[in-house]
Amino acid sequence: MEAPLLPLLLLFLAAAAGPNAATAARDGCTSGCDHALGSYYVASNQNVTYIASLFGFSDYRVLGKYNPGIPNLDFVAAGDRLNVPFPCQCIAPPSAPASTFLAAPIRYDVHTGDTYISIADQFNNLTTPAWLQATNTYPANNIPDVGSVNVTVNCSCGDPGISTAYGLFLTYPLRDRETLASVAANHSFSSPEQMDLLRKYNPGMDGVTGSGIVYIPAKDPNGSYLPLKSQGTGSLCPSGS
Ligand SMILES: *[C@@H]1O[C@H](CO)[C@@H](O)[C@H](O)[C@H]1NC(C)=O
Ligand SMILES: *[C@@H]1O[C@H](CO)[C@@H](O)[C@H](O)[C@H]1NC(C)=O
Ligand SMILES: *[C@@H]1O[C@H](CO)[C@@H](O)[C@H](O)[C@H]1NC(C)=O
Ligand SMILES: *[C@@H]1O[C@H](CO)[C@@H](O)[C@H](O)[C@H]1NC(C)=O
Ligand SMILES: *[C@@H]1O[C@H](CO)[C@@H](O)[C@H](O)[C@H]1NC(C)=O
Ligand SMILES: *[C@@H]1O[C@H](CO)[C@@H](O)[C@H](O)[C@H]1NC(C)=O
């Protein structure tokens, strides 16, 4: 029981200290938010039914309202990106219970022979094998054949210290030649002021190309940016709570 914990802790610390870890707005959370979105890159031979099921949806049509740019989900093709919603929670990993960070723990039912590598593979860079290992109690060589693991997908709820205009964020894994600037521009954040803002949400990611995750403010299904809800004080929240 004791043996696996030290390597896991070291792994977690190494991951947390990595140069690409976007730490400022996400680490040391005390609460999460109702929703974040993940940008799922559709690879060849992946259909919407399968992708929706990975995130716990038995009917892929629920994804329609989060994907206004895709007129018909039945014609999603390899190379498209599908937005998937998940709750963004404040989590303390078993490997380092004193730290907290924002992520969605997505329940994944294990199949015989699964490894953290094979599981992470299905999520197309929304998570990594190392991050799965750091956020699950099972050692990598001893995942039970029956049961579930947490597929931990990092997310953001915004940051009152940066802006109160944005409270819904897209978790976007960079591909190939993509950078924070190219993805930002593609999501209508292209002015120098907007880029300054996005750099604050993504410390350490400016100048990174083709790997790691960036967080981009996203529109809600009604087509407007969702402002930040207060997390505790109540002062920013229009509807109380
Ligand atoms: C998720 O966030 C944690 C904490 O900031 C970081 O250590 C980890 O590397 C991130 N995981 C991924 C897959 O980006
Ligand atoms: C969708 O993909 C899954 C997993 O690859 C496969 O089992 C299923 O047959 C596919 N469904 C359709 C309609 O292509
Ligand atoms: C995941 O990232 C790796 C390297 O960063 C890249 O080669 C691969 O194509 C990505 N996979 C997907 C499905 O985006
Ligand atoms: C998944 O996460 C939950 C909640 O954080 C935790 O209780 C559970 O032990 C985790 N599962 C594994 C296999 O680590
Ligand atoms: C920008 O968006 C378009 C359409 O959504 C897509 O085809 C293109 O690959 C995107 N480019 C980048 C750099 O994200
Ligand atoms: C979207 O608009 C509808 C109708 O105006 C409203 O009832 C709903 O609460 C709005 N949803 C969000 C998330 O703002």
Side-chain angles (χ1 to χ4, degrees):
M1 288 309 286
E2 296 291 332
L5 286 177
L6 184 59
L8 280 179
L9 179 61
L10 294 175
L11 178 72
F12 174 76
L13 293 174
N20 294 348
T23 50
R26 306 182 43 262
D27 291 358
C29 54
T30 52
S31 64
C33 49
D34 290 347
H35 286 104
L37 297 173
S39 177
Y40 188 97
Y41 178 87
V42 182
S44 51
N45 299 321
Q46 290 183 322
N47 58 55
V48 277
T49 303
Y50 164 74
I51 296 167
S53 73
L54 287 176
F55 295 88
F57 300 108
S58 55
D59 182 354
Y60 68 82
R61 284 169 294 198
V62 300
L63 301 179
K65 62 179 177 176
Y66 300 100
N67 292 280
I70 302 180
N72 187 341
L73 285 179
D74 291 318
F75 294 100
V76 164
D80 287 347
R81 280 182 177 267
L82 201 59
N83 292 342
V84 289
F86 35 67
C88 186
Q89 299 178 6
C90 185
I91 286 176
S95 54
S99 345
T100 57
F101 56 87
L102 290 170
I106 294 162
R107 182 192 159 100
Y108 175 91
D109 291 320
V110 176
H111 309 105
T112 305
D114 272 339
T115 62
Y116 289 133
I117 295 171
S118 71
I119 296 169
D121 257 1
Q122 302 177 56
F123 286 83
N124 291 3
N125 293 333
L126 281 166
T127 191
T128 60
W131 193 227
L132 292 185
Q133 178 154 8
T135 53
N136 282 280
T137 50
Y138 306 129
N141 60 3
N142 199 11
I143 300 175
D145 282 349
V146 177
S148 67
V149 299
N150 300 307
V151 167
T152 311
V153 175
N154 287 352
C155 49
S156 172
C157 292
D159 184 341
I162 297 177
S163 170
T164 55
Y166 303 110
L168 176 67
F169 282 76
L170 182 66
T171 295
Y172 188 109
L174 295 178
R175 265 181 67 83
D176 305 330
R177 285 176 290 279
E178 291 175 342
T179 60
L180 174 61
S182 77
V183 175
N186 222 12
H187 289 80
S188 310
F189 289 89
S190 49
S191 73
E193 294 74 23
Q194 289 170 322
M195 267 313 296
D196 278 348
L197 183 76
L198 288 210
R199 273 191 286 268
K200 289 181 191 158
Y201 285 120
N202 293 282
M205 289 305 288
D206 202 20
V208 174
T209 303
S211 67
I213 284 173
V214 295
Y215 303 95
I216 310 288
K219 291 177 176 173
D220 74 5
N222 285 351
S224 45
Y225 289 106
L226 206 59
L228 192 69
K229 266 200 207 173
S230 79
Q231 313 207 334
T233 67
S235 59
L236 299 169
C237 186
S239 54
S241 93

